[in-house]
Amino acid sequence: MGILKKMGVLEDLIEKAGGCAVVDGGLSTQLEKHGAQFNDALWSAVCLIQDPDLIKRVHLEYLEAGADILITSSYQASLPGFQSKGLSIEEGELLLKKSVELAVQARDKFWDAKKIISEHSYNRALVAASIGSYGAYLADGSEYSGCYGPIVDLDKLKDFHRRRLQVLVEAGPDLLAFETIPNKLEAQALVELLEEENIQIPSWICFSSVDGENAPSGESFKECLDIINSSNKISAVGINCAPPHFVQGLVQKFKELTGKVIVVYPNSGEVWDGRAKRWLPSKCFDDEKFKLFATRWRDAGAKLIGGCCRTTPSTIRVISKALKENSGP
């Protein structure tokens, strides 16, 4: 596939989906529903070691629910993280590649079954390799604060992300999904890294937000998006794992700040305690609210919509149905 075609796959999917494509939902949430346990710094990436078939099963459940994009199980998977569990660098790299392979296998199996049916409502899904923030690797909740400390500079962040990025790209995903980025510094590191590595597949960068106005670090989204707007390697930008009641205002804000595709996949509204590793009771959206608000987010300018933590295939099913029913002529 030529470089221009590779870079255009996201826009092609959005067009096929009627102007707004559906991202999948919470991977770890659904894995836990099937009995997986994640009291571990590797979080859902531990399933790559213990039960890869379960990951493929969950990918298939999201495809059946109407997801147009599958995000891989590599969010918390990093080479230093695997090494801390006693794995070699080579073993860690194989697990990173496996995260992409599992999603590709699920996508191909699902599409091979659907494409022979003359009438169906599915698109051939894209696979987005998840690349969690440095804070996700730390597993201390700092992806929701952006406070990495004085010793973490641009070069350290690039060094942290570089080999994982190379390995995931070699595995052949359609997209790269940089997730829960909490500050301008990491956004800058990713933009520079994509250039230095001359990455030829489209990427998105999603920030978290704890106040609905700024990045978790307190820096304005204008500062962050000015950096991203300068890069032709990044096709989309948006918000993930933030409370859903922030999303509409943030889509409107991003619409003013960028011409790039806007992607949103919020959590259910529950709050994660990164130190205690548990969900705190809080105001949250049920599936019916996601159904109602998905069309509002689309109408505000989002072109990729899904769910993050504590959302399930049933959430994605109602989002997909709502967007398809209200896609206009």
Side-chain angles (χ1 to χ4, degrees), residues 182-221:
N183 55 37
K184 184 174 73 171
L185 183 69
E186 194 158 15
Q188 179 76 47
L190 298 174
V191 165
E192 292 187 14
L193 197 53
L194 289 169
E195 283 296 333
E196 289 170 16
E197 296 297 320
N198 194 25
I199 301 302
Q200 301 296 339
I201 58 175
S203 302
W204 76 55
I205 291 182
C206 279
F207 296 89
S208 48
S209 181
V210 293
D211 63 2
E213 292 288 332
N214 302 295
S217 59
E219 294 160 318
S220 74
F221 279 124

Side-chain angles (χ1 to χ4, degrees), residues 62-82:
Y62 276 116
L63 290 167
E64 192 67 53
D68 297 310
I69 296 176
L70 288 179
I71 299 177
T72 65
S73 51
S74 49
Y75 173 77
Q76 202 106 356
S78 67
L79 296 175
F82 286 136

Side-chain angles (χ1 to χ4, degrees), residues 19-262:
C20 189
V22 179
V23 182
D24 65 6
L27 181 70
S28 63
T29 302
Q30 192 65 6
L31 290 168
E32 286 177 318
K33 282 182 180 290
H34 289 307
Q37 296 184 333
F38 299 137
N39 189 17
D40 191 287
L42 287 177
W43 199 33
S44 58
V46 79
C47 248
L48 285 166
I49 303 168
Q50 296 176 352
D51 198 350
D53 286 343
L54 184 57
I55 294 173
K56 194 190 295 189
R57 175 182 172 184
V58 170
H59 284 323
L60 286 165
E61 288 171 343
Y62 276 116
L63 290 167
E64 192 67 53
D68 297 310
I69 296 176
L70 288 179
I71 299 177
T72 65
S73 51
S74 49
Y75 173 77
Q76 202 106 356
S78 67
L79 296 175
F82 286 136
Q83 284 179 281
S84 73
K85 294 295 176 183
L87 297 174
S88 69
I89 290 176
E90 292 77 12
E91 288 169 328
E93 290 181 355
L94 286 173
L95 288 170
L96 283 171
K97 288 179 179 176
K98 180 180 275 192
S99 71
V100 175
E101 290 162 3
L102 291 168
V104 168
Q105 288 165 9
R107 185 268 310 280
D108 290 349
K109 178 180 179 181
F110 183 80
W111 187 243
D112 286 346
K114 294 299 177 187
K115 70 183 179 183
I116 58 175
I117 301 169
S118 58
E119 289 187 21
H120 65 80
S121 59
Y122 296 99
N123 299 300
R124 184 178 183 275
L126 299 180
V127 169
S130 173
I131 300 174
S133 63
Y134 180 69
Y137 152 68
L138 295 176
D140 62 359
S142 58
E143 67 263 55
Y144 302 108
S145 71
C147 298
Y148 289 167
I151 64 166
V152 177
D153 59 13
L154 198 65
D155 287 336
K156 185 176 178 69
L157 288 172
K158 286 197 281 190
D159 288 345
F160 169 75
H161 282 293
R162 190 181 305 273
R163 184 58 189 150
R164 175 171 57 166
L165 173 65
Q166 292 168 342
V167 171
L168 288 170
V169 168
E170 286 166 10
D174 304 296
L175 311 166
L176 298 171
F178 296 98
E179 303 188 282
T180 56
I181 303 305
N183 55 37
K184 184 174 73 171
L185 183 69
E186 194 158 15
Q188 179 76 47
L190 298 174
V191 165
E192 292 187 14
L193 197 53
L194 289 169
E195 283 296 333
E196 289 170 16
E197 296 297 320
N198 194 25
I199 301 302
Q200 301 296 339
I201 58 175
S203 302
W204 76 55
I205 291 182
C206 279
F207 296 89
S208 48
S209 181
V210 293
D211 63 2
E213 292 288 332
N214 302 295
S217 59
E219 294 160 318
S220 74
F221 279 124
K222 183 180 187 311
E223 293 176 76
C224 298
L225 291 181
D226 280 349
I227 290 165
I228 289 168
N229 287 338
S230 69
S231 172
N232 61 9
K233 303 284 188 187
I234 299 164
S235 298
V237 65
I239 294 290
N240 79 290
C241 216
H245 52 279
F246 290 167
V247 168
Q248 189 164 345
L250 287 170
V251 171
Q252 290 166 339
K253 183 190 287 279
F254 278 38
K255 190 75 178 162
E256 295 172 1
L257 296 173
T258 186
K260 293 187 184 293
V261 168
I262 295 173

